[in-house]
Amino acid sequence: MNLPLPIPRFALLRHPKPDIAPGICYGRSNLGLAPEGHAAIAAITARLAHFAPTAILTSPALRCRLLADAIGTAHHLTPTIDPALHEIDFGAWEGMAWHDIPRPALDRWATDPLDFAPPGGESGAALLARITTTIAARLREMPGAVIIVSHGGPLKLLIPLLRGEPPDLLAHAPAQGSITLIP
């Protein structure tokens, strides 16, 4: 017996490869896309050809807006920029090579991701609160299918929240350019 598959209600997308060297911390940095990131837009948009969204929400970061705008053009929708979808703010770590960030600080972040914040940056608790109160609750009330274009940090929390599962700040982020469908 073939049961009908649930119709996806949310398509959560992580931006494609940004225009920055590997190994650099770039959270809130407003980067464009690398050439391969630009090249990935057509394939991502094609994978969503039959999704029929009623809304597209995007982080204000250029690397997300470029993808959201292309998808919006394909679906005749104007994306809504939502600051709550922005990546975590790494403060003083922004633009630093990960290997140049003091090891004790990275260890503190790994052992206390909820309460630790990089100097001048945002804690995991702040990110979780932003995603939980601003996005997850509002998304459940939106009619129709919704496309969300964001970053690894917000998506690794938003995906389980929309599935009714507990979020994990230490979970792996979705791959760049990936699409996660949630009924």
Side-chain angles (χ1 to χ4, degrees):
M1 176 163 121
N2 287 334
L3 296 176
L5 295 173
I7 297 170
R9 174 133 155 56
F10 300 104
L12 293 98
L13 287 67
R14 185 171 178 198
H15 61 78
K17 183 174 177 22
D19 189 19
I20 192 165
I24 303 295
C25 176
Y26 60 88
R28 285 273 175 109
S29 301
N30 196 25
L31 306 169
L33 294 172
E36 55 267 48
H38 280 286
I41 289 176
I44 294 167
T45 301
R47 287 184 56 207
L48 294 169
H50 299 293
F51 188 71
T54 55
I56 301 169
L57 302 177
T58 184
S59 161
L62 180 60
R63 59 192 181 270
C64 292
R65 290 192 341 258
L66 291 168
L67 177 57
D69 288 344
I71 294 166
T73 298
H75 290 282
H76 309 288
L77 291 170
T78 301
T80 299
I81 295 172
D82 192 326
L85 291 170
H86 223 315
E87 181 60 282
I88 192 167
D89 184 348
F90 285 112
W93 294 359
E94 295 275 340
M96 289 180 69
W98 284 104
H99 63 78
D100 288 338
I101 297 170
R103 187 74 222 183
L106 286 174
D107 290 344
R108 268 198 66 215
W109 183 39
T111 58
D112 189 12
L114 195 61
D115 293 321
F116 179 81
E122 184 178 24
S123 70
L127 173 64
L128 182 59
R130 175 164 47 94
I131 295 302
T132 302
T133 61
T134 308
I135 298 298
R138 184 167 56 100
L139 284 175
R140 287 189 186 103
E141 296 173 4
M142 292 182 78
V146 180
I147 292 175
I148 299 134
V149 183
S150 190
H151 309 269
L155 290 175
K156 72 180 176 180
L157 301 177
L158 189 55
I159 291 168
L161 285 169
L162 290 173
R163 290 179 173 154
E165 302 166 357
D168 179 1
L169 286 165
L170 295 178
H172 289 289
Q176 292 175 345
S178 66
I179 300 172
T180 302
L181 300 176
I182 299 176

